Amino acid sequence: MTLLCFASKKYGEKVVLVDDEESYSYSRLFTESQKLALCLRKEVQIGSNSKVAFLSKNHASLVKSIFATSRLGAELFFVNTQLSKNQFQQLIEFHKLDVIIYDDEFTTLIEQSNFQGVKIKTYHEHLPAINNFLQVIDPEFYRIPRTSSSKLTLFTSGTTGVPKKAIHKPTLFNYLNPFISFIDRLKVLNYHTAYIATPIYHGYGMAILLLFIPLGKKIIIRRKFDAAESCNLIREHRVEVITVVPTILKRLIETNKNDLKSLRCIASGGAKLNQKLINDTIGTLGKVLYNLYGTTEAGLNFIATPEDLIYSTSTIGKPIDGMKLKVLDLNMEEVEVGKVGQICIRNTWSMRNSEYRWIETGDLGYHDQNGYYFLGGRIDDMIISGGVNVYPSFVEQILTQHPSIEDAAVIGIDDDEFGQRLNAFLVIAKSASTVTKQEIQEWLRTKVSKFELPKEIEIVDELPYSALGKLDRKQLRHMSTQK
């Protein structure tokens, strides 16, 4: 709310937010968020000890609710809208939530749980809802005591099990380094209109929202992503900055490249960019693609500029200022240049609920002699084949260099002789439908070691990705066992 208050005074009637229904000026967004805070305090008794969850798509009611409940000092829980019934039930039981602010489409999910707290819809014609709360009372008679107790709780994607939480304290001073690095490396001050195509409930979408508001930018959001509609939005509003995950970027380029000509900064995060997509984007739109690496626990930590991606399409770039990092082997010893280890991070903007100052990201990676960092996949994805460590992510990068392969995913499977071998799932380009598995095997044989050569290759129509663009390896393993 402090950021929004500052922006309201500075930018006034300038448009800040455009959703599916209407536009908001900075002044209106601040005034309505303040009034909503007062109404929620009086009608629902939300305060500094309250736990408030959001189960919502991207729209103005969500944005106002975030500012209002944060102003009241509540702990804010951002729930992935893709959670299963069982995952949502576990979240309810473990965190003892007081209030859920939710879209109507998630009513069944909530009603099937044992949640006993206050339920508030984001929109409704006549029932109590965020869009109706402003009409309940005249908030001029109430004042809210100042508080700094608010916390933002984000969750990991949960594709491999129960989502884990990461608590962040939204203190402006803690976030100066990523804030400044983002502005500087992405040249954000040069642009005026941004489109957040990623979910706000994800740490990435939330961070971009809070970064753009104090800079006086116009922010466009939509409840759901539709490639054709998004292309029209970009053309209509002459969008210069867009936040994407790789699957969103791929769909935009496939739908209408000409509508994307206004883009000057494509900020991709949340999942791995493959070489073909990077080359296609740069070849079509120029040097506009940025690769952002962060984690739910540790926040934003690496930025690869277009020049960095030209240096290497595999790099996540260089660390941002103000962070410390180590690449450690299994014995927790730092590895030398070029050797793979776990990336461990320490910074002021990481989660506040960790017992340790160093955060083990669970991501494998290495750095080269020029200070560029590269990912080697997740620790859980690494397999040991014939006593040799094999990184599926590396083999995936090689496979996507084949001119007939559009996308690739590699998992480990049990093998009697080697302990584990690789199983590759490939999406073949429509123009190359005649390519055979044997041809791909022979091509790959000259580029990887025998332990990295897949035992099996499967041709599929598409790979399973989450709404956040993360490859669902659990689903791939299920597909492998169903053969």
Side-chain angles (χ1 to χ4, degrees), residues 359-394:
I359 291 178
E360 298 177 22
T361 65
D363 286 324
L364 294 167
Y366 64 95
H367 63 286
D368 66 12
Q369 67 277 10
N370 294 320
Y372 287 93
Y373 281 75
F374 302 80
L375 289 182
R378 298 286 296 170
I379 287 180
D380 294 342
D381 298 332
M382 185 188 78
I383 75 166
I384 300 176
S385 181
V388 177
N389 292 345
V390 177
Y391 307 100
S393 180
F394 171 75

Side-chain angles (χ1 to χ4, degrees), residues 140-212:
E140 296 297 328
F141 297 102
Y142 302 91
R143 299 187 62 181
I144 304 173
R146 291 187 177 277
T147 177
S148 59
S149 62
S150 181
K151 292 178 286 188
L152 306 182
T153 297
L154 306 173
F155 292 93
T156 57
S157 58
T159 55
T160 57
V162 180
K164 299 180 180 65
K165 72 173 184 176
I167 300 174
H168 293 263
K169 184 68 177 173
T171 303
L172 181 60
F173 295 105
N174 286 347
Y175 291 86
L176 282 178
N177 279 312
F179 184 84
I180 293 170
S181 294
F182 185 89
I183 292 172
D184 181 47
R185 296 197 197 180
L186 276 67
K187 304 178 178 65
V188 173
L189 295 179
N190 297 338
Y191 314 126
H192 301 93
T193 304
Y195 171 29
I196 298 180
T198 50
I200 290 175
Y201 67 73
H202 188 243
Y204 180 39
M206 173 63 62
I208 300 303
L209 176 71
L210 298 180
L211 281 170
F212 284 167

Side-chain angles (χ1 to χ4, degrees), residues 16-24 56-60 62-63 81 103 105 123 194-201 209 218-234 236-237 239 242-243 248:
V16 59
L17 191 68
V18 181
D19 72 357
D20 295 85
E21 305 297 330
E22 56 185 326
S23 299
Y24 287 78
S56 170
K57 301 287 183 68
N58 292 6
H59 49 64
L62 170 63
V63 174
T81 59
D103 291 347
E105 64 187 276
Y123 291 96
Y195 171 29
I196 298 180
T198 50
I200 290 175
Y201 67 73
L209 176 71
K218 180 169 77 173
I219 302 166
I220 298 168
I221 56 176
R222 285 294 183 268
R223 287 174 177 263
K224 64 178 182 179
F225 172 78
D226 177 84
E229 182 197 17
S230 295
C231 286
N232 289 335
L233 278 174
I234 292 167
E236 250 179 62
H237 292 271
V239 171
I242 184 172
T243 67
I248 288 178

